[in-house]
Amino acid sequence: MATIVGGFVVPHNPVMYFNPKGASAEQSATVYAAYARMAERIRELRADTAIIIGCDHYILFGTEALPPYVISTGEIEGPVDQLPGIKRAPIASNAALGAHIAAVGRQTGFDWTVGRAMQVDHSIGIPHHLMIKPNEGMTTVAVMLACGVDPYLPMARAWQIGEHIAAAVESDGTDQRVVVIGSGGISHHVGNERMGEVNPTFDRKVLDIVARGDREAMLALTDEEILQEGGNGAMEIRTYACAMAATRAAGGEVVAYEPIEGWVTGMGFAELKVAA
Amino acid sequence: MSRNSLEKVLYDLSTSGANKKLFAADPDKFLGRYQLDVEEKTLVRDYRVRDLADRGVNTMLTWGFWLQAGKSNSDYMKIMKREEA
């Protein structure tokens, strides 16, 4: 039986690559140290593979078809939106695990859109680069949730998908060790007149919910509240809900938090416990 | 027509270098491929990102559309805040 041995929520902010000096040296050091600590934790957990839960930014999927949730079942390549220091390249894929989750889903009410030769954006590319790539030999399953383009995946559905991922992993016949990573910024406004506003009060509320493993509080966050208090970018916390559910909502520990206006984002990091 | 075709234009321009070249060379010809009325074509051709956003176009697209043309982020923010650019 495969086992989910750990979980994390982290940001995937491309601005820290395009405008590194937008953060103070102290803030930047805190952020990169948090990623490094999580990469080390993944090594300590002896993980074989990571399920990275990201979200499209109107980069991968266009108006022709906007899938609510997608999983990689073959090769992965990216990020298609290359960053300074993170070039588009093949990402070692765990195609078998992705295909297994998709197959289980088809039997249990989760009709995944599958990426058989999947391209990913920076929401997968950044955590992969900073947390997975340093751990030689690890593979990745990429999951994309509709967080950036409406119709948004409902928060409750993101949670259900996380529970489904947990059950599907447990039913896999291998003995591999899996970590799940919810990839998204907390407060940030992308492309609108409020871009640059960060809301530490909202950010800490979200991180407190994550740390408590509080399903009810997470599902009580309405889209209206998220958009008003956190911004359109904060809709990405659906990935946190999915990761929380995949670790059976056992709570966790906030590793770092920095509100960085120059990087236009509330940057939060937490490690999730896994329910026994 | 709708924000859908506007978003399609901006998505196509944000994700394809070939489309960017075609648009830069002859905007009216390029925009003729899409189900847009005259006013909508003008909004795109003139980079009126505030007006596009007001019509419901996703601001991830308006921002990317602006930046891919080599325009400055500070001018973008002035326009989005309805200040003088």
Side-chain angles (χ1 to χ4, degrees), chain A residues 2-271:
Chain A
T3 308
I4 291 178
V5 295
F8 304 89
V9 299
V10 298
H12 58 238
N13 188 348
V15 183
M16 67 186 203
Y17 287 91
F18 288 120
N19 183 24
K21 295 190 181 304
S24 69
E26 292 77 14
Q27 288 174 318
S28 181
T30 297
V31 165
Y32 281 102
Y35 279 116
R37 174 64 186 139
M38 291 182 163
E40 178 61 27
R41 280 293 297 141
I42 290 169
R43 186 175 303 115
E44 291 170 358
L45 291 165
R46 295 179 287 112
D48 303 299
T49 198
I51 299 173
I52 306 178
I53 305 157
C55 37
D56 186 30
H57 299 76
Y58 241 147
I59 295 170
L60 304 172
F61 313 118
T63 47
E64 295 85 353
L66 293 163
Y69 49 102
V70 184
I71 191 166
S72 60
T73 61
E75 295 86 342
I76 307 172
E77 180 183 291
V80 296
D81 50 337
Q82 300 186 93
L83 301 166
I86 307 182
K87 297 304 177 191
R88 179 174 180 165
I91 291 173
S93 171
N94 191 332
L97 182 60
H100 172 73
I101 294 169
V104 171
R106 282 192 292 276
Q107 301 301 317
T108 55
F110 297 89
D111 300 316
W112 288 94
T113 297
V114 298
R116 292 195 281 112
M118 188 166 167
Q119 296 181 331
V120 296
D121 70 5
H122 63 273
S123 70
I124 302 293
I126 289 176
H128 174 265
H129 182 76
L130 295 173
M131 298 166 65
I132 308 306
K133 204 171 177 182
N135 289 299
E136 191 174 352
M138 278 192 71
T139 56
T140 292
V141 175
V143 169
M144 304 293 289
L145 307 182
C147 307
V149 183
D150 67 293
Y152 301 108
L153 183 74
M155 187 75 83
R157 190 59 168 163
W159 192 279
Q160 291 169 352
I161 290 168
E163 291 178 329
H164 151 56
I165 288 172
V169 168
E170 288 168 4
S171 71
D172 184 75
T174 68
D175 60 357
Q176 60 194 316
R177 298 169 66 84
V178 179
V179 293
V180 293
I181 300 170
S183 169
I186 316 179
S187 64
H188 61 302
H189 301 259
V190 184
N192 64 29
E193 64 277 9
R194 295 177 63 189
M195 190 157 56
E197 289 182 24
V198 178
N199 184 345
T201 302
F202 178 79
D203 296 340
R204 293 195 183 282
K205 176 178 179 176
V206 171
L207 288 173
D208 285 347
I209 291 170
V210 171
R212 294 197 309 269
D214 192 334
R215 174 185 180 275
E216 299 309 315
M218 197 71 182
L219 299 189
L221 290 171
T222 65
D223 286 357
E224 291 73 19
E225 178 183 359
I226 295 169
L227 289 166
Q228 177 60 37
E229 300 300 323
N232 56 342
M235 301 295 265
E236 294 171 354
I237 62 173
R238 285 153 164 73
T239 66
Y240 294 16
C242 191
M244 288 169 69
T247 49
R248 304 295 194 193
E253 178 185 1
V254 175
V255 173
Y257 170 70
E258 285 289 339
I260 307 179
E261 292 185 2
W263 285 355
V264 303
T265 305
M267 310 270 290
F269 299 80
E271 179 173 353

